Amino acid sequence: MKMKRIMFMLLAVLLVVTIVPAAAFAADSASGNVEIRLKTNSSTVAINGKQSTVQAPFEKAGTTMVPLSIITKAFGAKLKLQDNKIITLTYNNKTVVVTIGSKTVKVNGKDQTVAVAPVVIKGTTMVPVRVIVEAFGAKIGKDKKTGEIVITGTIAQSGNGNSNSGGGSTNLDPDYGKTKFGDSYYGWTMNYPPGLKLLNQNDDGSFVIWGSTTSDTSVIISTEKVSDVLTKSEIQDKIVSGWLGDDEVVIDKRTITVNGLNFEKVVTRTTERGLLFEYRALQKGDTLYYVMGGVAGTDKTALDPYQSLLDSFIPSFDSNDKTIKDITKVSNGLMSINNKEYGLSLKLPAGWYMDKDSSNPTYVSEDGYFSFSISSVKEQDNPQQWLARRQQLLHDDFLPNYIKNEKTSSLTLKDGNALVLTYEFTYDQKLWYTANEVLLIAGKYRYAIDFNYDSKTGSQGEALFKSTMATVDIDTAYVEKNYGQMEDEFDLDRSEVTVKTSTKYGYSVALPAYWFGVNTDFNKDSVAYVDSFGHMILQNIEDMSASSTAQSVQQSLQKEGVTVSGSTSFQIGSANVIKFSVQDVTEDDIPITDVFYFVENKGNTIMFLFGINNANATTSALNRFDTIVKSIKFQ
């Protein structure tokens, strides 16, 4: 329902994890025993007493989420990545398969459901730790004295039979007569990287990475469309800002000439991972080509053996050269998408990319937005009732002057007849988007497809919608066999609340159960939640009255030229509450309303900041803010 404009961020750190050697930790643990100590919300982890810094583990829905690299390094588990989201861990004779965004975990081929799906945060893959380490036969408990989570087990035996051979097309052992690989659509060619396997190629083929299962060697080719002719400084800046990790230090930066072509070159050394990276970039026409290599080491001479391989890259593809293996994913301008986990196949124009932050298959481009979700059929439900609820939700979420041209229709898909809700919507009264909500019921499951495009494209956008839907093919038999009960986020009871308690500050508050928590520890100073069209930030402020806090915030806003309006006050029991609102805009110039509440309790203040798009600031939405604040109960 919401037009997403999310920048494509390649998961470089995730990919580095896939080529960590299985024995990386074994040398530190001659006894074979493993003890991991960690705390949620702490970036320090100790493995057999040796401390290191990681992305902080966190707890959600009673599940502790930890960086995947902790498990692979500590236990010596081998790892294989497929489609940039399916991760297979092998430990002795045990196999665990987790999928980014999926709550289904396969343990030795049997499905288990976890409360929280694996997710990527700041480039680090976070996974539910208990189901994995228990599958490894390890024990997990808590040290009552230190508050640490303690995991104990043993390192994987060597030669445990985890072989990634048989990978078929992912094995880069040269085909007969092939000595090079390339992409005919993006127009580049390079020699085969000896001894490396194709670990990942994104949907449109604009990003390709090869790696080794026995070393930290990696080779990456990536392409990016650019609208202007870039200077060498601008290209170097793109390398540094777009690819370098937080622990990378630049040790070489210059222009080099290879085969008559000028590349911008940046070499880095990591301060924490013991790796060296060489980045090269070259612009040809409207395409910026990146050629990158990574190896283990601290001396830049460790990159010397890979210079001839990097030098072999050329920004062209000769279709008559039979020594080139074409790995393109684009045919006739279309890329084929096959999302096996969701049983979804379709074709989209080259240039669309998968939104890695979405929990379900979502693809975006400058031309549109495609999202796919699966949910269970409600008892005695039918397509017409489902459509009516989606229409009601549209009117609950948008003010009347922000939607127009609403209509319903039917559409024949490969898997049955669907109903379609079509309308135009806007967030700023300037840019309008056309939304198509395609609703299909087949067997025990419902399939929802959202396809949005800029209304200015008119018939062109409508043609893209129809041509895309004609390619959509859902493996309903696979879904029926492999899926259980699935809730629909758009069908959740919005009246349901969850009570959150702060023992430190002495209060509880009831929040909508469908809101998503970003920072959820109410014993900390700050708490944050988001919903589809806004957010809530709660700040606990000690030793300051509500009136003083409100006055200080107002003065700060007024200094920035922001006008405060609708200032009122009321009581919650004996607690004084001050409320006011301001008009603001997001980074995308979308008008929003910020509503502030200041609740005083025993000399302390609880400040609520609710932000909502003006388009979605309906009476019910604004009343919901009052209801949340008035639900406060003091201990």
Side-chain angles (χ1 to χ4, degrees):
M1 305 224 352
K2 183 177 180 183
M3 185 65 173
K4 296 186 178 179
R5 294 178 175 271
I6 300 172
M7 296 297 292
F8 181 32
M9 297 194 307
L10 296 168
L11 305 181
V13 177
L14 168 63
L15 297 173
V16 169
V17 169
T18 71
I19 55 176
V20 172
F25 177 72
D28 294 332
S29 184
S31 68
N33 295 324
V34 175
E35 182 190 71
I36 306 172
R37 288 179 171 265
L38 56 88
K39 286 185 178 181
T40 56
N41 303 315
S42 171
S43 59
T44 299
V45 62
I47 301 177
N48 285 1
K50 184 178 180 180
Q51 290 189 344
S52 60
T53 301
V54 297
Q55 175 72 30
F58 64 93
E59 183 174 332
K60 181 180 178 183
T63 299
T64 301
M65 305 290 287
V66 305
L68 177 61
S69 58
I70 292 178
I71 298 171
T72 57
K73 290 182 179 180
F75 285 93
K78 293 187 177 181
L79 183 152
K80 181 180 179 182
L81 177 69
Q82 179 184 351
D83 295 335
N84 203 24
K85 67 175 183 176
I86 304 171
I87 301 165
T88 300
L89 297 169
T90 305
Y91 171 86
N92 296 336
N93 61 345
K94 306 290 180 64
T95 301
V96 180
V97 181
V98 298
T99 302
I100 304 300
S102 172
K103 294 182 181 179
T104 299
V105 176
K106 284 186 180 294
V107 178
N108 293 331
K110 295 183 179 180
D111 287 354
Q112 293 188 23
T113 302
V114 292
V116 183
V119 65
V120 177
I121 297 178
K122 296 181 179 178
T124 299
T125 303
M126 308 294 288
V127 295
V129 65
R130 181 177 293 275
V131 68
I132 297 175
V133 299
E134 286 185 347
F136 291 175
K139 295 181 179 180
I140 183 169
K142 195 164 187 177
D143 188 329
K144 294 181 179 179
K145 293 183 179 180
T146 64
E148 295 172 309
I149 296 170
V150 182
I151 303 167
T152 55
T154 57
I155 294 175
Q157 300 173 8
S158 61
N160 58 39
N162 175 39
S163 173
N164 288 334
S165 63
S169 61
T170 62
N171 194 323
L172 274 191
D173 290 336
D175 294 345
Y176 178 76
K178 306 292 186 182
T179 59
K180 294 175 280 190
F181 61 85
D183 190 302
S184 58
Y185 177 77
Y186 291 103
W188 58 264
T189 308
M190 189 176 186
N191 289 346
Y192 270 101
L196 302 184
K197 288 187 176 183
L198 180 61
L199 296 179
N200 180 65
Q201 186 177 14
N202 65 353
D203 292 313
D204 65 358
S206 62
F207 175 87
V208 188
I209 181 171
W210 289 265
S212 169
T213 57
T214 59
S215 71
D216 284 317
T217 304
S218 61
V219 173
I220 296 174
I221 307 294
S222 183
T223 59
E224 175 187 342
K225 291 295 182 182
V226 290
S227 56
D228 300 317
V229 176
L230 303 177
T231 66
K232 73 173 189 176
S233 296
E234 289 172 334
I235 294 176
Q236 290 175 356
D237 287 343
K238 274 187 165 289
I239 294 174
V240 173
S241 62
W243 291 96
L244 269 60
D246 293 338
D247 67 334
E248 288 184 59
V249 177
V250 176
I251 59 175
D252 192 348
K253 183 167 67 172
R254 56 196 163 102
T255 304
I256 61 172
T257 301
V258 181
N259 299 322
L261 300 171
N262 291 329
F263 291 81
E264 301 310 319
K265 171 181 171 180
V266 176
V267 179
T268 67
R269 179 190 295 118
T270 66
T271 58
E272 298 176 5
R273 291 175 283 160
L275 300 172
L276 287 160
F277 293 99
E278 179 168 334
Y279 303 88
R280 298 182 182 185
L282 164 76
Q283 182 177 0
K284 180 181 178 182
D286 62 353
T287 303
L288 186 61
Y289 295 90
Y290 296 96
V291 188
M292 296 162 279
V295 297
T298 56
D299 190 312
K300 67 178 183 178
T301 56
L303 287 163
D304 289 350
Y306 300 93
Q307 294 304 299
S308 60
L309 174 63
L310 299 179
D311 288 348
S312 71
F313 177 88
I314 57 173
S316 62
F317 184 96
D318 184 357
S319 58
N320 295 317
D321 188 345
K322 302 306 180 182
T323 66
I324 303 174
K325 179 178 180 179
D326 190 358
I327 61 171
T328 189
K329 283 199 167 185
V330 179
S331 176
N332 298 321
L334 296 176
M335 59 180 185
S336 296
I337 295 171
N338 185 14
N339 193 313
K340 296 179 181 178
E341 287 297 309
Y342 285 83
L344 172 68
S345 298
L346 74 151
K347 290 184 178 181
L348 285 169
W352 286 61
Y353 54 86
M354 187 175 185
D355 172 12
K356 304 297 183 181
D357 295 323
S358 180
S359 59
N360 54 291
T362 301
Y363 300 90
V364 295
S365 78
E366 293 182 355
D367 299 320
Y369 163 85
F370 176 100
S371 180
F372 176 81
S373 61
I374 302 172
S375 60
S376 299
V377 176
K378 291 190 170 185
E379 189 175 352
Q380 297 181 339
D381 200 7
N382 60 52
Q384 291 74 23
Q385 292 173 338
W386 187 19
L387 175 68
R389 291 195 300 274
R390 294 290 287 247
Q391 283 185 284
Q392 184 60 53
L393 189 62
L394 171 65
H395 293 284
D396 287 344
D397 283 338
F398 278 87
L399 290 169
N401 55 331
Y402 288 86
I403 54 176
K404 64 182 182 181
N405 296 332
E406 181 183 351
K407 64 179 181 179
T408 61
S409 60
S410 60
L411 180 66
T412 300
L413 303 178
K414 291 182 178 180
D415 301 284
N417 294 322
L419 296 180
V420 184
L421 172 61
T422 302
Y423 54 90
E424 294 181 60
F425 68 97
T426 182
Y427 291 114
D428 59 5
Q429 299 288 349
K430 298 175 183 177
L431 299 176
W432 286 84
Y433 303 98
T434 298
N436 295 277
E437 299 185 25
V438 181
L439 310 176
L440 171 69
I441 293 181
K444 297 185 296 183
Y445 292 93
R446 307 180 307 181
Y447 304 91
I449 297 173
D450 291 336
F451 192 101
N452 300 352
Y453 55 86
D454 191 327
S455 296
K456 289 188 298 186
T457 60
S459 59
Q460 182 180 354
E462 183 178 0
L464 177 60
F465 163 66
K466 290 181 177 179
S467 63
T468 300
M469 296 310 301
T471 69
V472 171
D473 192 1
I474 306 168
D475 189 346
T476 56
Y478 168 83
V479 175
E480 294 280 342
K481 181 179 178 180
N482 292 279
Y483 276 67
Q485 187 69 22
M486 297 286 291
E487 289 186 336
D488 183 351
E489 63 178 297
F490 293 113
D491 256 353
L492 297 178
D493 182 1
R494 290 194 173 186
S495 65
E496 184 180 349
V497 299
T498 178
V499 176
K500 301 296 183 180
T501 302
S502 174
T503 56
K504 178 177 179 180
Y505 296 102
Y507 68 88
S508 65
V509 62
L511 300 179
Y514 70 92
W515 280 13
F516 175 76
V518 180
N519 299 317
T520 60
D521 188 347
F522 281 76
N523 290 317
K524 292 193 173 182
D525 293 343
S526 182
V527 173
Y529 280 78
V530 295
D531 72 352
S532 299
F533 305 108
H535 61 266
M536 180 199 80
I537 298 173
L538 184 153
Q539 189 77 30
N540 294 294
I541 303 168
E542 297 186 74
D543 302 323
M544 197 168 180
S545 67
S547 59
S548 297
T549 306
Q551 184 178 16
S552 176
V553 172
Q554 286 189 20
Q555 289 174 348
S556 296
L557 292 169
Q558 289 166 352
K559 286 181 180 179
E560 296 179 7
V562 178
T563 302
V564 175
S565 62
S567 183
T568 60
S569 62
F570 56 90
Q571 298 289 124
I572 301 177
S574 60
N576 182 42
V577 181
I578 299 172
K579 172 186 176 182
F580 61 79
S581 62
V582 299
Q583 295 299 309
D584 200 357
V585 293
T586 67
E587 293 181 354
D588 294 327
D589 293 327
I590 294 174
I592 62 172
T593 297
D594 289 327
V595 185
F596 291 84
Y597 295 81
F598 304 87
V599 185
E600 187 172 340
N601 177 43
K602 298 179 181 179
N604 301 323
T605 295
I606 307 168
M607 184 188 79
F608 291 86
L609 166 57
F610 298 96
I612 188 168
N613 300 331
N614 284 0
N616 312 111
T618 61
T619 300
S620 60
L622 296 175
N623 287 342
R624 190 178 302 125
F625 301 158
D626 272 349
T627 301
I628 292 170
V629 175
K630 290 178 179 178
S631 73
I632 289 180
K633 294 181 180 179
F634 297 103
Q635 300 171 356

